[in-house]
Amino acid sequence: MTKPSTTRLINDYLWISLASILNALSFDWFYAPNQLGFGGLTALGMILNHFSPVIPIGTVVLVLNIPLFLLGWKFLGWRTLVSSLFAMTATSLLVDLIAALYTFPAMDPMLAAIFGGVLLGVSMGMIFSKGATTGGTDLISRLLKLPFAWLPMGKIIMVVDLVMLLATAAAFQSVNSAMYGIIALYISTVVMDSMLYGLDKSKVAYIITATPRIMAEEIDRQLGRGVTFLRGEGSFSGKEKLVLMCAFKQRQIVPLKALVHELDQDAFLIVCEAHEVLGQGFRRYQKNDI
């Protein structure tokens, strides 16, 4: 396994730092002043702060994460744990710092749930994309991803955080708090999954044409995409045909359709969604990939 370059490490930690600022800002701006249910250990910090305001929320999160990091060290490796420790510490300190510098006023809880969920989802997507977590239930979810690799990260976090949401609602004695929290949680997980799995969407095209080899050569030359020939047979004519299969990026769909139409106006083109494409020209497989 090659070691990451210094430049890449610096870029990763700058990205995580920006995400930590957005994470803390979403909490202090939208969640805390409106008493929205918040998942994770931050919810426990909110509960303790609610009953004893002298207890800083960020500090509570920091202390409670220590045993979780000791547990995660064995399964996720030191690189993930170091970056997660950095993200968790930065987020926790920023939550207390922003709260000390400025107190955001309460707003319409629905607006807080929507925009808080979006901002939180963006920050979590940024952090997870660099292999880190913010600790707490995010770290628990990252560990659960190992045996449940087929589940999207957002769905795992949503299930885990629902428990803490209910606890927060009980502490604030407000069902509305939990309901708005669930809305924010759903939005944040959708946004996060979109960032993790949807920003680099790929597609697969199946092309049936009278000039398969010419078509394949032009796709390779103009779009830089390889083509695989599949052998098929027309049900009506009974003739054998070469079916072209080609994986390509979302942004290449327009030039691909134009190219197919230019070479063969009678060509049959089927385009399908491809949730994950691994290999040359696309993403490479990584162990414990999210």
Side-chain angles (χ1 to χ4, degrees):
M1 181 181 294
T2 59
K3 294 182 179 180
S5 65
T6 303
T7 303
R8 179 184 169 187
L9 280 176
I10 293 174
N11 289 335
D12 286 351
Y13 277 88
L14 287 175
W15 190 253
I16 293 173
S17 298
L18 176 59
S20 298
I21 294 173
L22 296 178
N23 193 297
L25 188 61
S26 68
F27 178 78
D28 284 326
W29 188 359
F30 298 108
Y31 285 85
N34 299 283
Q35 294 188 342
L36 292 185
F38 194 86
L41 294 183
T42 305
L44 186 55
M46 289 178 67
I47 294 172
L48 294 176
N49 179 264
H50 175 70
F51 291 110
S52 180
V54 296
I55 301 177
I57 296 174
T59 303
V60 171
V61 174
L62 196 62
V63 172
L64 293 177
N65 267 290
I66 294 175
L68 284 176
F69 272 83
L70 294 176
L71 177 64
W73 189 283
K74 176 181 178 182
F75 298 99
L76 298 178
W78 68 270
R79 286 181 183 170
T80 298
L81 266 296
V82 169
S83 59
S84 297
L85 182 62
F86 175 83
M88 180 204 68
T89 304
T91 301
S92 300
L93 294 178
L94 285 166
V95 164
D96 290 341
L97 178 61
I98 294 174
L101 293 175
Y102 184 76
T103 301
F104 288 93
M107 64 174 67
D108 181 271
M110 182 58 74
L111 288 177
I114 294 172
F115 287 96
V118 170
L119 193 58
L120 182 65
V122 169
S123 67
M124 293 306 301
M126 293 170 64
I127 290 173
F128 275 112
S129 69
K130 298 304 178 183
T133 73
T134 56
T137 52
D138 297 337
L139 183 53
I140 294 174
S141 300
R142 185 68 180 86
L143 291 168
L144 287 174
K145 179 70 175 176
L146 298 178
F148 300 104
W150 51 275
L151 280 175
M153 274 301 303
K155 300 299 186 293
I156 297 177
I157 289 178
M158 185 164 61
V159 172
V160 174
D161 280 352
L162 276 175
V163 177
M164 296 309 300
L165 268 176
L166 296 176
T168 305
F172 291 133
Q173 296 183 347
S174 172
V175 176
N176 289 348
S177 174
M179 294 174 69
Y180 284 121
I182 291 173
I183 293 173
L185 176 61
Y186 176 76
I187 292 174
S188 67
T189 54
V190 170
V191 172
M192 184 180 70
D193 280 343
S194 296
M195 290 197 65
L196 290 175
Y197 310 113
L199 290 182
D200 191 26
K201 286 185 178 179
S202 299
K203 293 183 180 293
V204 173
Y206 296 93
I207 307 168
I208 302 174
T209 174
T211 57
R213 299 196 181 276
I214 295 176
M215 185 82 69
E217 289 176 2
E218 289 303 308
I219 291 175
D220 182 33
R221 186 179 68 85
Q222 296 188 33
L223 302 181
R225 292 299 172 192
V227 174
T228 299
F229 290 119
L230 305 177
R231 297 195 177 277
E233 180 182 331
S235 62
F236 180 75
S237 64
K239 295 181 179 179
E240 289 190 358
K241 295 182 179 181
L242 290 179
V243 180
L244 282 64
M245 183 182 74
C246 175
F248 60 98
K249 300 286 188 179
Q250 167 75 34
R251 62 179 179 273
Q252 294 178 308
I253 186 170
V254 173
L256 177 66
K257 290 194 294 185
L259 175 61
V260 171
H261 180 74
E262 178 185 347
L263 295 177
D264 183 1
Q265 295 185 7
D266 296 323
F268 197 72
L269 172 65
I270 304 173
V271 178
C272 307
E273 295 286 347
H275 296 288
E276 283 192 272
V277 180
L278 304 179
Q280 185 175 358
F282 296 88
R283 219 163 44 87
R284 291 292 183 180
Y285 169 77
Q286 295 179 0
K287 187 178 181 181
N288 298 332
D289 197 0
I290 57 174

